[in-house]
Amino acid sequence: MSAQSELQKHLLNLKLSNKTLTGILHNNNKGAADWGWQGMLAYGCQTSVVVVDTRTVQVLQTLERHRAIVVKVKWARQNYHHDERSPYMLRLASADAHGRIVVWDVSQAVHRVEFQDGTKPILEMDWLSTQDATHDLLVALHPPYSIILWNADTGTKLWKKSFTENILSFSFDPFDPTKLTLLGQDCILFVNDFTVSKPPSSNGKKFYIESTPSSSTSGTTTDRRGSARTAFRRVKMLVGEGKQRAVEESVSLNECLQMTYLQSSRHHLLLLYAREVLIVDLEINQTVGVIPMERSGSPFLQIIPCRQRDVLMCLHENGSVSVRVRRRSGMPGIMSAATTPVDQSGNFGDSTSLSSFGESIQDVVYDLRCQSDHLRVTKHIRPFGIHSCPCTERSVALIMNDGRVMIWSLKTSEYVPHPNNSHIPSLTPLHSPGYSSSNGSFEFLPSVKDKDEVKPMMEVKMKTPIAVPYPKMCLSDLIGQVQFHCGDQMQQGRGVVLKFVLVGLLNGVASPPLVVRMCPPLTTKNYNLYQPLVALGNSAGLIQVYNLSSGLLWREYNIHLTQIRGIEWVSLTSFLSYAYPNPTNSGTVRNELILTDMQTGRTTTFRGDKNEESPIEMLRVSHMKQYFIIVFKEKPFELWDLRTGTLLREMPKNFPFITALEWSPSSNLKSLKKKLAQDSSSSSSTSLSQSSDISASSSSMSVPETGVRSDRKGSHPLNVKEHFVFTDTNGLLYHFFVEGNIIKDGAKIPPESGMGSVTCIAWKGDTIVLGDVDGNLSIWDLKARVSRAVPTHRGWIKKIKFAPGKGNHKLLVLYNDGMDVWDTKDVEQVSNLRSPREIAKVTDVEWATSDKPILATSDGCVRVFDINLKVCSSPLEELSISDPVFCPHLLPPKAAMNMKYLLQHQPWNSEYQLQLDTLTKDLPDGDAIVSMVNEQIKVMPGDIRNFLPYCTNGVAQRCLLIARLFGDEAETNFWTVVMYYLKMEQARQACLIHKNSHETLPQQEPASDVFLPRDSSQSDFVGLEKPGNARVCDCLSEPPLDMCFDVLCDNQTYQRYQLERINLHDNKRTTYEHTKKCAENFMLLNQTDRAVQLYLETDSDNECYYEDSLRACLVATIRSSGASQSTIKLVATSLIANGKLSEGVQLLCLIDKGLDACRYLQTYGRWQTAVWLAKCTLGYSECCEVLKRWADYLCQPEVNQKSKAVLVMISLGLFHKALEILYSMHYFDRAALFAEACTEFGLLPETEEIKKLVAAIYLEYAHILSNLGNKQAAAYYCQKSAEKGEQLQQELEWM
């Protein structure tokens, strides 16, 4: 890099903008944090909102608008289609303790809208993304019991619902947006009709938690007296409001720390307590799993359920973060304690068996797989929360109450069993995702050893394809699925062990800063060395030096033992600081005075031989940095030579006590220069040159232990005469001058009438300003020999200081209740600030630049304001950021979309290239857009940049990577589903077995007439075991989608999961209602033998005994053929018509009329049940009919979930139907790339209708590219759109 560019970069870093340096957090800030899809972490610190880039671990923005403590922060969802009209943007909502909600445009540091309802703190807040057309809706919980739906774009209240119970928090079902769960003080409320159009019609269904002895539960062990885990071996159930509850067995919800839904599986609710986690299945209202904390373990504080691999991330009170991975009942593994800590190889530290803890093999079990190091937690330092990246789910941010933010990242290391510890049981290792049939000959993820780093990629334009490791972006790239035991298709990757690695640490301002001092100002003599450094001193003796340009901590010195009382800079790289404890009854202290050189780290102690004495009141360094004066409270001052570090003069005891002191900015330096210029000796010339350097704010001074000397080879230092003034307790002003070791007094000026005791003095040029205890300012013009008194009526003036810069007469005035900025030339107030009404109490003020004051406040923050004291934040383009940030959300809409389309697919280029060349000349700011895009590509993560040109699965895989890179939630979900089904459909068509059929499962054998009890050693997946002669084909080798995609998973995976859940419900039966529900589900899934046995278990004294006996007989005698079918169908139809929908559907399923049952369910609005039944029981063609009707329902205007309908069509393999819906939604870019992906896989039928559709899509995509200025790309898609694109192509040629 050239010297000129280096200088430009240095000057850019000198730019100071309005900003806030945050410190310790308020107790109410706990829980006020959120990690957005775009990779930004936002958290509340006192009344500010801090935005951190988690990749570079630096503060990007600090937002100031709230007057009360920030209690909630939420990033807007990215689950919508992005284009020029709906661009990528950083939108954030924050709420404070006074009920005010502010919606921010983070990049511009401005609030878009603010609103409130009442003055109580917001308890919970969440964005809605239930419909394609609305992504501006915000749900807020206003205490004590009101839910309000806000339009966050306009601040309009859409509706308000008040409940009858006090509500503490709420959680939306991630699989059903109409379901809202509310946590009350002693109950849980379930709302099933949440919509955006109107408030819920009821107050919700109320449930309580009740514990029942485990003896009534199948599969649990007997309690042992004296066991510490007796409480965990009780079945906790949700009991309805109308049911009779046993008071002694009720479980208090007051101790519940958190309630949230499991993101990876439907119908599961998590309740977090300090010593256990309850996993409640809402279909049976019963706990199906308990994660107890071991006796010596640190209690839970927070839990984050992940989507991708059924993983739980838990925060503990000791500051450690643990990772628990679900172990399914069909998986091999020892009967080990699921909560015993494991070492880095997966071995247990405790060999206690699972049975001793009373856990059933059917329970939902999470194995502890990884735990970070615990922190040093004290009474004043403790964790406030963790937040996981929603896009990757492999990074976690831990926020501490002292302002620290730690970024932990999950990595993998190779599993190495310990042969010497074979007697210690261990968990089966996790596995990497393994090989994929479509990935070629290299593994799906790179080597798990960190030392095997991928070498930098050779030229991107290489024609020869090479095997480049897939970038490990997400949790799903680290470990394979562990949900299912698929026989021969078990894990194919290598064994790995998860590890937490600390990848980032961000420090805040240490405990409230009491002293703030800016380094000497920027001048023409020091601009090449200057850094805008500010020193902060706190009560613990710590001095932090921050770079105000970047906002990052530059140095930290723990050199004092007691509270810092003052800091004075003596050069750009060194400062004096003094400290002492609070005085004793005698009024004496032990003063500490230290000179610190930041270049070497050397510290020099002054007056180290002194014992108890009067405390230091002030320390003033002369303007030429030759001398400094130490003023004591009840002792005459001392004059020191800063260059030699020697005491020049200690004033006599009868010397008046000083109340204020200031050095003169003028000196006899000019006359000395003139005199020395006549001297021709080299030594004199050298002395003069060095004296000139000192005068330039000592920018290039280095203050060694003995001080700066201006002589060379033993010559005497140059002595410049300097002046200072001070006032005594009587208000008399004294004038002294110092030259060498001589100090002489000058004039004495009596106090002005009306002035009280002077507390501070400021001197600049020919102006002296004095401030007194009564709030009066006395402004003296020395040249005109006039003075003027200005009453401020603000009380005691603590500090006054002139702004730097020639001719700048702005003056800072600090009071007990705030501060003012005055213009002493015009004698008028420029601005004022009141504390604590407008801001926290101001402890110290300073000038950052000539027009920007810097304030230290009692809330631990340091704020750089504008001259009007109104704004202390700036747009991101005005901020100086030390490390370049990759964030497309910061780009203008045209730049972001150009970058996205370039990286996704560029068939108009002969070879894939990571550079945007040119845009059309008529596009405004076209060159700037090209520059911004290319700069972002340069700072893109290297592993992704290397892999993009060589994506083995073409457009679909590249689009998925770009969606994750951009933090685009909607695109990530879309391309994940597309990738899976494109590969599955391609493999199916290449399979000799299933080429002409979508059925991927062997047909089940007819149910036997007699129920045979299942042996415990058999697989839990009833009815789905493969016959011995079943052929295993390649089309089943792809790992299935995670269960977070629910009904979008393939039928085989979905059936296995549902049967596993029903078997779990069967083993958890405790009540008759529960048993009846299990029997009905077994009937629906054609598991008639088990249904019969459950009906026969009904007690004879039950009022339904006779009815259930008849049901058992009916189910046992039903056959799929015979004359009884018509009768049963007639009865079922009659039951449905008379309101017995569930009973009628069961009868239809008994006679294999599942399709009719699904149609009836859909007709009566039971869409989810119909889809569940179709995917579990019907063949492809019948299931396809049911799901297509459901997709039509989702496309209706009142439902408006076309995006979900598109995914449903893709899951059915109806890619052309998905294209039609995308086209109707005007998602032309997504449709065009999807058509390209289908074409690459050879899965788009070559019919005339589809060709016309694709041509229309390409034409619209060409229009989009043309509007973005990408003429070459638009011309390419014009050619692909046949005749329809000729007109547009002609227009492009004319451009």
Side-chain angles (χ1 to χ4, degrees):
M1 187 177 292
S2 65
Q4 183 178 3
S5 59
E6 284 281 0
L7 180 60
Q8 291 176 350
K9 182 179 179 181
H10 176 71
L11 293 177
L12 181 64
N13 290 336
L14 299 182
K15 181 180 179 182
L16 286 186
S17 304
N18 305 328
K19 63 181 62 178
T20 301
L21 307 179
T22 56
I24 58 174
L25 275 62
H26 193 275
N27 286 335
N28 291 339
N29 290 138
K30 188 174 184 179
D34 192 31
W35 192 324
W37 271 81
Q38 72 290 109
M40 302 290 180
L41 174 70
Y43 67 93
C45 178
Q46 303 291 337
T47 61
S48 307
V49 179
V50 186
V51 179
V52 179
D53 176 47
T54 57
R55 293 186 178 97
T56 58
V57 196
Q58 58 183 336
V59 176
L60 290 187
Q61 189 64 273
T62 307
L63 306 171
E64 296 277 353
R65 180 73 179 179
H66 294 283
R67 297 289 175 83
I69 302 299
V70 176
V71 295
K72 290 296 173 185
V73 172
K74 280 290 182 181
W75 284 105
R77 296 283 296 271
Q78 298 294 321
N79 194 18
Y80 62 93
H81 178 251
H82 296 83
D83 54 20
E84 269 196 273
R85 295 180 179 178
S86 300
Y88 292 99
M89 63 182 301
L90 297 176
R91 187 166 55 156
L92 178 71
S94 59
D96 62 27
H98 288 172
R100 175 182 294 181
I101 300 174
V102 181
V103 180
W104 301 92
D105 182 348
V106 174
S107 61
Q108 297 301 315
V110 296
H111 70 286
R112 296 164 59 94
V113 66
E114 62 179 80
F115 43 87
Q116 69 181 106
D117 185 87
T119 58
K120 293 184 178 180
I122 303 297
L123 295 181
E124 192 64 75
M125 188 170 61
D126 201 3
W127 292 85
L128 290 185
S129 59
T130 57
Q131 295 186 351
D132 297 315
T134 56
H135 48 269
D136 297 321
L137 303 182
L138 186 70
V139 181
L141 173 57
H142 296 255
Y145 42 64
S146 296
I147 296 285
I148 299 181
L149 179 64
W150 298 94
N151 185 327
D153 191 43
T154 62
T156 305
K157 184 193 301 183
L158 300 183
W159 52 254
K160 179 178 180 179
K161 172 66 177 178
S162 296
F163 294 87
T164 57
E165 297 285 337
N166 289 349
I167 309 301
L168 303 178
S169 67
F170 67 78
S171 181
F172 279 98
D173 188 340
F175 298 92
D176 190 347
T178 65
K179 293 184 177 180
L180 174 67
T181 302
L182 309 170
L183 177 65
Q185 292 181 341
D186 61 348
C187 65
I188 298 177
L189 299 177
F190 292 95
V191 177
N192 297 322
D193 58 345
F194 185 92
T195 62
V196 298
S197 58
K198 59 182 180 179
S201 58
S202 68
N203 289 322
K205 296 180 180 179
K206 188 184 298 184
F207 285 84
Y208 302 89
I209 295 183
E210 182 183 84
S211 294
T212 60
S214 59
S215 58
S216 63
T217 307
S218 173
T220 57
T221 59
T222 306
D223 290 348
R224 292 186 302 168
R225 183 172 299 179
S227 172
R229 301 182 180 268
T230 302
F232 302 142
R233 286 196 297 275
R234 294 179 176 272
V235 180
K236 296 177 177 62
M237 303 177 59
L238 290 177
V239 180
E241 184 178 13
K243 302 293 182 64
Q244 184 177 1
R245 294 187 296 146
V247 178
E248 65 276 5
E249 295 293 347
S250 63
V251 179
S252 173
L253 281 170
N254 292 329
E255 300 174 0
C256 183
L257 303 178
Q258 184 184 353
M259 179 194 70
T260 184
Y261 274 91
L262 199 63
Q263 302 291 314
S264 56
S265 301
R266 197 182 184 105
H267 301 304
H268 287 82
L269 190 69
L270 296 180
L271 297 176
L272 178 70
Y273 293 84
R275 305 297 302 182
E276 64 179 342
V277 180
L278 303 184
I279 304 168
V280 182
D281 192 317
L282 297 181
E283 285 200 320
I284 59 176
N285 292 333
Q286 185 177 318
T287 55
V288 292
V290 178
I291 304 176
M293 177 55 60
E294 60 273 11
R295 183 180 303 174
S296 60
S298 179
F300 293 109
L301 276 184
Q302 188 183 346
I303 190 168
I304 299 178
C306 299
R307 293 182 73 244
Q308 298 180 35
R309 289 293 188 255
D310 209 347
V311 171
L312 301 179
M313 294 186 178
C314 306
L315 172 65
H316 302 267
E317 285 187 0
N318 61 4
S320 65
V321 182
S322 62
V323 174
R324 287 170 163 81
V325 183
R326 183 170 179 178
R327 166 160 47 93
R328 296 285 177 171
S329 54
M331 289 186 60
I334 66 155
M335 303 286 287
S336 318
T339 56
T340 303
V342 291
D343 60 23
Q344 293 298 305
S345 299
N347 293 328
F348 279 105
D350 185 4
S351 59
T352 310
S353 66
L354 178 66
S355 59
S356 66
F357 294 155
E359 291 174 342
S360 168
I361 192 173
Q362 292 291 336
D363 283 351
V364 176
V365 178
Y366 285 84
D367 296 320
L368 179 61
R369 294 289 186 170
C370 172
Q371 190 158 358
S372 67
D373 297 332
H374 64 83
L375 305 177
R376 182 169 161 261
V377 177
T378 64
K379 180 180 179 181
H380 303 289
I381 301 177
R382 58 189 185 278
F384 259 23
I386 57 170
H387 302 273
S388 173
C389 174
C391 182
T392 66
E393 293 187 326
R394 61 169 294 187
S395 297
V396 179
L398 171 60
I399 301 176
M400 305 292 292
N401 70 326
D402 60 357
R404 283 180 297 164
V405 178
M406 287 170 276
I407 309 295
W408 293 94
S409 180
L410 278 174
K411 297 186 182 297
T412 51
S413 62
E414 196 157 0
Y415 172 77
V416 180
H418 290 266
N420 297 332
N421 296 336
S422 58
H423 64 283
I424 299 179
S426 64
L427 291 171
T428 54
L430 299 172
H431 290 79
S432 61
Y435 293 92
S436 176
S437 60
S438 56
N439 274 348
S441 59
F442 66 98
E443 193 173 1
F444 184 69
L445 81 146
S447 172
V448 293
K449 296 182 179 178
D450 292 336
K451 63 182 180 180
D452 297 336
E453 293 290 342
V454 182
K455 295 182 179 180
M457 179 58 56
M458 54 288 299
E459 284 297 324
V460 171
K461 295 185 179 181
M462 281 185 59
K463 294 184 179 181
T464 306
I466 60 174
V468 182
Y470 189 89
K472 297 188 287 186
M473 297 181 65
C474 303
L475 179 63
S476 57
D477 299 329
L478 296 181
I479 57 174
Q481 292 189 12
V482 294
Q483 282 91 337
F484 306 102
H485 180 208
C486 301
D488 297 335
Q489 298 170 27
M490 200 54 190
Q491 303 293 349
Q492 297 178 346
R494 66 180 72 182
V496 294
V497 173
L498 291 174
K499 287 184 177 180
F500 265 124
V501 176
L502 184 65
V503 296
L505 174 63
L506 188 67
N507 287 300
V509 177
S511 135
L514 303 176
V515 180
V516 53
R517 288 293 181 274
M518 192 70 191
C519 69
L522 175 68
T523 66
T524 56
K525 299 290 183 66
N526 65 13
Y527 72 91
N528 58 334
L529 299 173
Y530 183 81
Q531 291 188 81
L533 303 178
V534 61
L536 310 174
N538 68 1
S539 59
L542 181 69
I543 297 177
Q544 293 180 308
V545 181
Y546 274 84
N547 187 318
L548 272 189
S549 178
S550 63
L552 297 177
L553 180 64
W554 193 67
R555 294 285 190 275
E556 190 172 78
Y557 301 99
N558 199 353
I559 54 178
H560 289 282
L561 301 177
T562 58
Q563 177 177 326
I564 305 294
R565 305 290 177 167
I567 300 173
E568 293 293 334
W569 290 83
V570 298
S571 74
L572 288 179
T573 58
S574 55
F575 57 84
L576 281 167
S577 57
Y578 63 95
Y580 57 83
N582 292 327
T584 61
N585 295 332
S586 62
T588 59
V589 296
R590 182 177 179 85
N591 293 307
E592 300 175 9
L593 178 60
I594 297 177
L595 173 66
T596 304
D597 185 351
M598 296 189 297
Q599 287 184 323
T600 63
R602 177 182 297 177
T603 59
T604 305
T605 302
F606 291 88
R607 310 179 76 256
D609 56 339
K610 301 293 183 180
N611 294 320
E612 297 289 326
E613 59 180 345
S614 180
I616 297 175
E617 279 281 284
M618 68 183 79
L619 185 146
R620 295 291 183 264
V621 179
S622 68
H623 182 71
M624 305 303 297
K625 313 301 181 187
Q626 297 183 106
Y627 316 104
F628 66 91
I629 292 177
I630 306 174
V631 179
F632 299 90
K633 184 176 182 180
E634 297 176 351
K635 177 182 173 182
F637 73 81
E638 296 178 353
L639 174 66
W640 287 74
D641 189 326
L642 181 60
R643 300 166 297 178
T644 61
T646 57
L647 176 64
L648 295 179
R649 185 78 177 271
E650 183 176 1
M651 306 311 290
K653 293 183 178 180
N654 60 353
F655 199 82
F657 291 146
I658 296 176
T659 60
L661 184 146
E662 186 59 59
W663 287 92
S664 168
S666 61
S667 64
N668 68 337
L669 180 61
K670 290 184 179 180
S671 60
L672 280 177
K673 284 183 178 180
K674 185 176 180 180
K675 179 180 178 182
L676 292 175
Q678 300 174 359
D679 193 344
S680 58
S681 64
S682 60
S683 61
S684 299
S685 300
T686 304
S687 299
L688 178 62
S689 173
Q690 295 188 3
S691 177
S692 300
D693 289 343
I694 297 176
S695 67
S697 298
S698 303
S699 62
S700 58
M701 284 180 59
S702 175
V703 184
E705 185 175 359
T706 58
V708 175
R709 300 187 63 87
S710 48
D711 61 337
R712 178 179 294 182
K713 296 183 179 180
S715 63
H716 296 289
L718 178 65
N719 294 319
V720 180
K721 182 188 294 186
E722 297 197 68
H723 306 257
F724 68 91
V725 296
F726 66 87
T727 57
D728 63 8
T729 54
N730 298 319
L732 190 64
L733 181 71
Y734 296 81
H735 172 243
F736 279 73
F737 70 88
V738 182
E739 187 174 9
N741 58 355
I742 301 174
I743 177 170
K744 293 183 178 181
D745 59 343
K748 297 180 183 180
I749 304 175
E752 289 191 11
S753 60
M755 283 289 290
S757 178
V758 177
T759 57
C760 45
I761 304 175
W763 191 347
K764 182 172 184 179
D766 295 326
T767 305
I768 295 180
V769 181
L770 292 82
D772 69 2
V773 294
D774 299 323
N776 299 312
L777 291 175
S778 180
I779 303 175
W780 295 7
D781 187 337
L782 301 180
K783 188 174 183 180
R785 295 176 177 259
V786 296
S787 65
R788 182 172 178 178
V790 180
T792 64
H793 308 292
R794 294 284 298 271
W796 188 306
I797 297 178
K798 299 173 63 177
K799 179 179 180 179
I800 56 177
K801 185 164 186 178
F802 277 106
K806 187 176 182 180
N808 189 349
H809 293 276
K810 300 292 189 300
L811 182 75
L812 275 179
V813 185
L814 175 64
Y815 311 96
N816 282 322
D817 64 344
M819 61 169 292
D820 290 342
V821 176
W822 286 80
D823 188 333
T824 58
K825 184 177 182 180
D826 299 330
V827 193
E828 62 179 6
Q829 187 186 76
V830 177
S831 57
N832 69 87
L833 190 67
R834 301 275 180 171
S835 67
R837 187 175 67 185
E838 300 177 35
I839 196 174
K841 182 176 177 57
V842 180
T843 58
D844 200 3
V845 295
E846 179 68 293
W847 287 101
T849 61
S850 59
D851 61 344
K852 295 186 183 300
I854 179 171
L855 283 68
T857 51
S858 60
D859 59 3
C861 299
V862 177
R863 296 174 171 87
V864 180
F865 274 92
D866 64 341
I867 193 66
N868 296 318
L869 300 178
K870 300 298 182 184
V871 180
C872 55
S873 55
S874 304
L876 283 176
E877 59 264 20
E878 296 182 7
L879 296 175
S880 175
I881 300 175
S882 58
D883 296 325
V885 175
F886 178 83
C887 184
H889 292 69
L890 299 178
L891 298 176
K894 286 186 181 295
M897 303 316 297
N898 263 305
M899 178 180 174
K900 177 182 175 181
Y901 297 149
L902 174 74
L903 296 178
Q904 283 180 327
H905 191 42
Q906 40 183 278
W908 55 87
N909 291 326
S910 57
E911 294 175 349
Y912 188 90
Q913 58 184 13
L914 293 168
Q915 182 178 355
L916 181 62
D917 293 332
T918 57
L919 298 176
T920 54
K921 296 181 180 180
D922 59 342
L923 182 70
D925 301 327
D927 293 338
I929 290 176
V930 171
S931 176
M932 285 187 287
V933 169
N934 290 332
E935 286 297 323
Q936 282 288 286
I937 292 176
K938 287 180 183 178
V939 298
M940 195 166 60
D943 53 349
I944 301 175
R945 189 170 62 248
N946 293 340
F947 185 78
L948 283 176
Y950 306 101
C951 286
T952 53
N953 289 310
V955 179
Q957 189 176 42
R958 192 176 290 116
C959 287
L960 176 58
L961 287 175
I962 298 305
R964 289 174 174 171
L965 190 65
F966 274 58
D968 193 328
E969 183 180 0
E971 292 265 314
T972 299
N973 293 333
F974 175 80
W975 289 109
T976 301
V977 175
V978 167
M979 268 283 294
Y980 175 73
Y981 281 105
L982 286 180
K983 291 193 291 185
M984 284 292 291
E985 186 66 12
Q986 185 186 53
R988 185 191 66 80
Q989 293 187 8
C991 177
L992 298 177
I993 302 176
H994 303 119
K995 183 175 183 179
N996 299 318
S997 172
H998 281 80
E999 303 295 340
T1000 57
L1001 284 176
Q1003 294 294 324
Q1004 301 179 22
E1005 296 181 1
S1008 60
D1009 293 335
V1010 181
F1011 176 77
L1012 298 176
R1014 181 167 53 88
D1015 185 73
S1016 60
S1017 63
Q1018 291 179 332
S1019 172
D1020 294 321
F1021 309 123
V1022 181
L1024 288 179
E1025 290 78 8
K1026 286 185 180 178
N1029 57 355
R1031 297 177 61 183
V1032 179
C1033 58
D1034 292 336
C1035 68
L1036 300 179
S1037 61
E1038 286 292 336
L1041 288 172
D1042 286 309
M1043 280 312 302
C1044 62
F1045 289 97
D1046 196 39
V1047 296
L1048 298 177
C1049 295
D1050 61 274
N1051 288 7
Q1052 178 188 9
T1053 303
Y1054 192 78
Q1055 289 172 7
R1056 287 185 180 277
Y1057 175 69
Q1058 296 302 327
L1059 284 169
E1060 178 190 355
R1061 287 193 66 227
I1062 291 176
N1063 276 275
L1064 176 60
H1065 295 173
D1066 188 11
N1067 280 272
K1068 287 288 185 180
R1069 290 181 294 112
T1070 56
T1071 62
Y1072 170 74
E1073 290 78 8
H1074 188 175
T1075 301
K1076 182 179 179 181
K1077 184 175 180 61
C1078 289
E1080 292 173 352
N1081 285 334
F1082 278 124
M1083 287 175 59
L1084 293 176
L1085 297 183
N1086 202 22
Q1087 305 295 318
T1088 55
D1089 292 342
R1090 184 58 179 162
V1092 168
Q1093 182 165 356
L1094 293 184
Y1095 280 129
L1096 293 177
E1097 288 183 3
T1098 305
D1099 294 334
S1100 57
D1101 55 351
N1102 192 305
E1103 61 181 9
C1104 297
Y1105 172 72
Y1106 179 69
E1107 178 184 344
D1108 288 345
S1109 299
L1110 294 180
R1111 285 176 182 265
C1113 296
L1114 176 63
V1115 174
T1117 55
I1118 287 296
R1119 290 294 178 266
S1120 60
S1121 61
S1124 60
Q1125 275 206 43
S1126 58
T1127 304
I1128 294 176
K1129 185 175 182 179
L1130 181 63
V1131 172
T1133 306
S1134 177
L1135 288 172
I1136 293 173
N1138 288 279
K1140 300 287 186 180
L1141 178 63
S1142 178
E1143 290 80 356
V1145 167
Q1146 294 171 34
L1147 289 179
L1148 290 174
C1149 289
L1150 280 177
I1151 57 174
D1152 292 338
K1153 298 296 181 182
L1155 179 59
D1156 292 336
C1158 292
R1159 288 171 179 167
Y1160 279 115
L1161 287 169
Q1162 290 180 324
T1163 302
Y1164 284 86
R1166 301 279 293 276
W1167 294 96
Q1168 291 293 340
T1169 307
V1171 172
W1172 173 83
L1173 185 59
K1175 291 187 72 71
C1176 287
T1177 61
L1178 301 183
Y1180 171 78
S1181 58
E1182 294 179 336
C1183 179
C1184 188
E1185 179 183 339
V1186 175
L1187 265 66
K1188 281 197 292 185
R1189 189 178 177 189
W1190 182 44
D1192 293 339
Y1193 166 76
L1194 294 173
C1195 292
Q1196 293 178 5
E1198 59 271 17
V1199 181
N1200 198 11
Q1201 295 188 37
K1202 289 186 178 180
S1203 294
K1204 190 168 186 178
V1206 170
L1207 298 180
V1208 172
M1209 290 300 183
I1210 293 173
S1211 69
L1212 297 174
L1214 303 176
F1215 304 134
H1216 61 286
K1217 292 290 186 182
L1219 280 174
E1220 291 177 2
I1221 301 177
L1222 287 172
Y1223 184 75
S1224 68
M1225 299 170 68
H1226 293 186
Y1227 290 3
F1228 302 123
D1229 53 346
R1230 190 180 297 180
L1233 294 169
F1234 180 51
E1236 292 270 29
C1238 293
T1239 303
E1240 282 185 349
F1241 278 81
L1243 300 177
L1244 212 56
E1246 295 290 333
T1247 64
E1248 194 64 29
E1249 182 181 356
I1250 293 179
K1251 287 181 179 179
K1252 290 182 179 179
L1253 173 64
V1254 173
I1257 291 173
Y1258 286 156
L1259 178 61
E1260 296 293 343
Y1261 189 41
H1263 277 290
I1264 294 175
L1265 294 171
S1266 175
N1267 293 334
L1268 293 175
N1270 198 332
K1271 177 181 176 181
Q1272 185 181 2
Y1276 172 83
Y1277 280 100
C1278 283
Q1279 294 176 357
K1280 297 196 70 172
S1281 57
E1283 299 84 6
K1284 296 181 179 181
E1286 291 180 358
Q1287 182 180 354
L1288 178 60
Q1289 191 166 2
Q1290 291 175 1
E1291 294 176 2
L1292 293 173
E1293 291 174 355
W1294 280 99
M1295 293 173 62

